[in-house]
Amino acid sequence: MENWENTYKKWSSFKHLDESLKIELHNKKDNKAALEDAFYKELAFGTGGIRGLLGPGTNRMNIYTVRKAVNGLANYLLANRVNVKDRGVVIAYDSRYMSPEFAIESAKVLGSYGIKAHIFESLRPTPLLSFAVRYLSTAAGIMITASHNPPEYNGFKVYNENGGQITPDEADKIINTIKQTEDELTVPYLEKVDLEEKDLLSWLGIEIDNAYLSRLKQITKMSSEVQEQEKDLQIVFTPLHGTSYHLVTKGLEQLNFTNVSIVEEQAKPDPEFSTVQSPNPEEHQAFKMAIELGDNTNADILLGTDPDADRLGVAVKNKAGEYQVLTGNQLGSLLLDYILTHSDRKIYQNSRMIKTVVTTELGRAIADANQVETIDTLTGFKFIGDKINQFDSTGETFVFGFEESYGYLISSFVRDKDAVQSAMMATEMAYFWKQQGKTLFDALDVLYEKHGYYLEGMSSLTLKGKEGSDRIASTMNKILTNPLTEIAGINVEKIENYLSSERIIVADNTRETIDLPKENMMKFILEQDGWVCLRPSGTEPKLKCYYGVRGNSHQDSKQILQSLKETMDQMLDEMVNQPR
């Protein structure tokens, strides 16, 4: 990229620059560090799209960087998909700053190529966008969201014609077409009035919602009789200022769950997410107000979705009578067990459960006990969605997919993680176990007693800047070239190198091929059903370390997990700080 100062001058002298961005640039004219950060590089298009801070500059989310991304997508679609102009692209957006504006800007660029845009008339969840791509048979989908990032962020995610997040191969091709756009300030576009005049813009209303809700009702495992019954389950729900309010409340109503208390302070969309430190149900502070309401209503289950409603968090009372948030691994395992034990096995011939390589092995144990095969994918739900797409031609049956980071999918009419589906299934599961006199934590103990005391954890090492990135790369290279043979006194049985796609059986040094896309990741399979996995984060300056164990008791598992963590933390700290 050219010198950042030249790029800044080009923007500041552009006579048609958006007025609000022009004012921001003027206010920063004496802040060299801020200007350099805004212009020293282009906002990276990752495997799913772009995400970044809002503001002027090539390294920021604004109408010009969005236009450039859409320009690349349009050219990619015209070269690689059929009937693109007629099929069009469906666009949805969440509650963040500039989300509606970015949706319109996307349509304006698509329209300049004669590609019709279908935009939701108001904010919608990410899983509904995935559903709409399939329902409308569009050539692609665009979701304007930054998921659970802080308020100053927004993003742009691309979905393929199957309704899933774009695959790495698709992303590479789109990136190449984006690079062919030399000047983001002069990307061609049509004005909104011209789009409507040329019938290149249609507005989507509740038709898609109703179609989704119709499919949603079909995922239940309850009998018709039970569905019609009044249910003594007390529910608290918070959409965390995001997009899920309508679909979750309507979905619960369809199943006759009527005792629903809403966290009203968090029910309305709010781009500031003003009542939480972070609108992320993975972080337990996000449940503070839901827990307060739960205490007041004696709720059986608390539900919380992130702003774009693809992740679900659930809290229930533990043995001490206090609300505790289930981990993603725990909730996923409970959902899998409930689904498989409440399904007609004759229907699920060639059935498959899909999880990522860093997700709990308890899922595999549950699937094995129900004669269901487990398929592992790389981290990221896009890989689970892509595997489901393959089932359309192989005849395999998808029954459930999940990842440790609070993403679950019950039915494949959506091809991405879906917090709305998950909220419905978690609620009816809680109702089932309440009828047995148990909470979900009691149900989890049943699974542990049957399959073993599985426990997982994750730690990360944050190293910012170029120096930090270099040290992360150097540390991963050391581990890849000199793999560990024991960790915390436990022998390594298998070494899985995902960069070379090779699995080594340590005992006899035999080698197997790992049939997954290449990724900079190393996993060590240990004796005693334990494992450790290392990978650099794709979105943050972090080296992540995942752990999984299976002990003879909860206490045994905690001790083994702590030992693995302490050993790996010390080893990584020493590696990172070694002189280079």
Side-chain angles (χ1 to χ4, degrees):
M1 187 175 174
E2 65 179 305
N3 180 279
W4 73 265
E5 290 175 311
N6 291 336
T7 308
Y8 161 62
K9 289 176 183 176
K10 183 182 72 173
W11 275 59
S12 59
S13 63
F14 184 59
K15 63 180 181 179
H16 299 300
L17 192 71
D18 174 81
E19 192 62 31
S20 63
L21 296 178
K22 186 184 296 184
I23 292 170
E24 280 194 66
L25 274 185
H26 177 76
N27 292 339
K28 294 178 180 177
K29 69 181 189 318
D30 297 322
N31 189 338
K32 185 174 180 179
L35 290 175
E36 181 177 6
D37 190 59
F39 287 97
Y40 85 100
K41 67 174 183 176
E42 293 183 354
L43 200 61
F45 191 100
T47 54
I50 58 176
R51 186 182 299 186
L53 291 163
L54 290 160
T58 53
N59 190 33
R60 295 288 185 265
M61 283 291 296
N62 52 65
I63 63 172
Y64 302 106
T65 51
V66 168
R67 285 176 184 172
K68 183 173 183 176
V70 179
N71 194 56
L73 174 62
N75 281 291
Y76 164 80
L77 292 174
L78 291 170
N80 293 276
R81 296 291 179 263
V82 298
N83 301 326
V84 172
K85 294 182 180 182
D86 291 335
R87 295 165 67 195
V89 174
V90 60
I91 304 170
Y93 58 91
D94 69 5
S95 56
R96 290 180 174 273
Y97 289 118
M98 294 297 294
S99 283
E101 290 86 350
F102 290 160
I104 291 293
E105 292 298 329
S106 299
K108 287 160 69 171
V109 175
L110 291 169
S112 72
Y113 290 92
I115 301 172
K116 187 168 186 173
H118 309 271
I119 305 181
F120 282 95
E121 61 187 3
S122 57
L123 55 79
R124 292 295 194 282
T126 289
L128 191 69
L129 182 277
S130 172
F131 173 77
V133 170
R134 298 175 60 78
Y135 183 79
L136 298 172
S137 298
T138 60
I142 294 172
M143 183 70 201
I144 307 297
T145 179
S147 189
H148 50 266
N149 274 58
E152 59 269 24
Y153 282 77
N154 210 331
F156 167 99
K157 289 175 70 174
V158 179
Y159 284 75
N160 59 30
E161 62 185 344
N162 296 310
Q165 296 180 47
I166 53 173
T167 64
D169 180 60
E170 290 170 325
D172 287 342
K173 292 177 180 177
I174 294 171
I175 290 168
N176 287 335
T177 58
I178 291 173
K179 288 179 178 177
Q180 293 169 21
T181 304
E182 295 182 359
D183 187 357
E184 64 280 341
L185 297 176
T186 58
V187 169
Y189 65 92
L190 294 180
E191 293 294 348
K192 179 183 170 186
V193 64
D194 296 321
L195 294 178
E196 293 173 331
E197 187 178 301
K198 296 175 184 289
D199 194 29
L200 291 171
L201 176 60
S202 70
W203 296 96
L204 303 176
I206 62 170
E207 175 198 352
I208 309 294
D209 301 51
N210 290 339
Y212 175 93
L213 287 166
S214 177
R215 294 296 303 271
L216 183 68
K217 189 174 182 181
Q218 297 172 31
I219 73 171
T220 181
K221 300 300 178 182
M222 296 186 295
S223 66
S224 300
E225 182 181 358
V226 174
Q227 287 182 54
E228 295 303 317
Q229 292 173 356
E230 289 189 16
K231 302 175 181 66
D232 61 341
L233 191 78
Q234 296 293 329
I235 304 160
V236 165
F237 166 55
T238 173
L240 293 177
H241 302 295
T243 60
S244 68
Y245 177 86
H246 172 70
L247 289 182
V248 169
T249 54
K250 287 293 183 183
L252 291 171
E253 184 181 311
Q254 285 185 153
L255 297 177
N256 214 20
F257 286 105
T258 56
N259 301 318
V260 183
S261 300
I262 307 297
V263 181
E264 295 295 343
E265 299 92 333
Q266 298 173 334
K268 292 182 179 179
D270 174 11
E272 281 294 321
F273 309 113
S274 52
T275 66
V276 290
Q277 296 173 28
S278 170
N280 184 359
E282 289 184 76
E283 298 181 18
H284 297 184
Q285 55 79 26
F287 273 89
K288 183 176 183 294
M289 298 185 82
I291 288 172
E292 291 173 356
L293 183 56
D295 285 333
N296 291 335
T297 60
N298 193 28
D300 298 295
I301 185 171
L302 317 180
L303 307 170
T305 56
D306 69 344
D308 68 323
D310 60 356
R311 298 172 193 254
L312 173 74
V314 165
V316 295
K317 287 185 177 178
N318 57 24
K319 295 186 187 303
E322 298 174 342
Y323 288 108
Q324 182 177 332
V325 181
L326 292 161
T327 70
N329 283 315
Q330 290 171 336
L331 180 56
S333 298
L334 285 165
L335 287 169
L336 174 64
D337 175 74
Y338 176 77
I339 289 166
L340 294 182
T341 55
H342 288 79
S343 299
D344 183 348
R345 295 185 185 181
K346 294 177 183 178
I347 296 174
Y348 288 129
Q349 295 296 320
N350 299 316
S351 54
R352 306 287 184 261
M353 185 275 286
I354 312 174
K355 71 176 190 66
T356 73
V357 294
V358 297
T359 299
T360 180
E361 288 297 303
L362 178 55
R364 190 188 312 277
I366 294 167
D368 287 347
N370 289 275
Q371 293 81 52
V372 170
E373 182 180 324
T374 297
I375 294 177
D376 289 298
T377 71
L378 296 179
T379 55
F381 221 91
K382 58 182 173 290
F383 294 109
I384 294 177
D386 189 46
K387 184 60 68 173
I388 297 171
N389 294 336
Q390 295 173 27
F391 291 173
D392 291 341
S393 57
T394 63
E396 295 164 279
T397 301
F398 170 75
V399 293
F400 186 64
F402 76 119
E403 58 185 3
E404 86 294 340
S405 54
Y406 289 60
Y408 323 94
L409 182 64
I410 288 87
S411 175
S412 61
F413 66 83
V414 168
R415 296 291 164 94
D416 198 2
K417 51 187 177 288
D418 186 341
V420 183
Q421 286 190 33
S422 307
M424 298 307 105
M425 195 59 69
T427 300
E428 70 171 73
M429 175 175 69
Y431 176 67
F432 167 79
W433 283 109
K434 184 176 182 181
Q435 301 307 107
Q436 319 304 311
K438 298 180 185 297
T439 68
L440 291 185
F441 273 109
D442 294 329
L444 197 58
D445 283 337
V446 172
L447 292 183
Y448 289 145
E449 290 166 11
K450 182 176 181 180
H451 301 290
Y453 292 87
Y454 289 84
L455 191 63
E456 297 77 33
M458 193 272 285
S459 58
S460 61
L461 193 62
T462 301
L463 298 165
K464 295 182 179 180
K466 185 179 185 302
E467 173 72 12
S469 297
D470 289 345
R471 288 190 178 273
I472 287 175
S474 173
T475 301
M476 275 304 298
N477 186 58
K478 289 174 187 175
I479 294 168
L480 289 165
T481 54
N482 297 285
L484 307 172
T485 55
E486 66 89 20
I487 304 174
I490 305 174
N491 290 329
V492 175
E493 291 185 335
K494 299 176 185 177
I495 300 168
E496 296 182 341
N497 185 331
Y498 291 86
L499 199 58
S500 64
S501 300
E502 188 175 57
R503 179 183 296 108
I504 302 171
I505 314 301
V506 175
D508 56 10
N509 201 38
T510 56
R511 315 232 163 182
E512 301 173 349
T513 299
I514 298 174
D515 187 21
L516 289 172
K518 292 182 184 297
E519 182 166 299
N520 187 16
M521 181 168 68
M522 182 76 93
K523 186 174 184 180
F524 301 95
I525 312 300
L526 309 175
E527 292 178 344
Q528 304 172 34
D529 296 320
W531 56 270
V532 173
C533 185
L534 282 158
R535 63 181 283 266
S537 171
T539 57
E540 301 171 285
K542 291 182 178 180
L543 180 59
K544 292 187 173 182
C545 191
Y546 301 83
Y547 316 90
V549 301
R550 178 179 179 267
N552 297 318
S553 66
H554 282 298
Q555 189 59 35
D556 187 29
S557 293
K558 286 180 181 178
Q559 289 176 352
I560 299 170
L561 192 73
Q562 184 63 26
S563 181
L564 289 177
K565 182 181 183 303
E566 289 175 354
T567 300
M568 291 301 298
D569 284 352
Q570 181 180 345
M571 184 194 74
L572 292 175
D573 184 65
E574 290 173 356
M575 283 187 175
V576 164
N577 291 302
Q578 281 178 359
R580 290 186 296 155

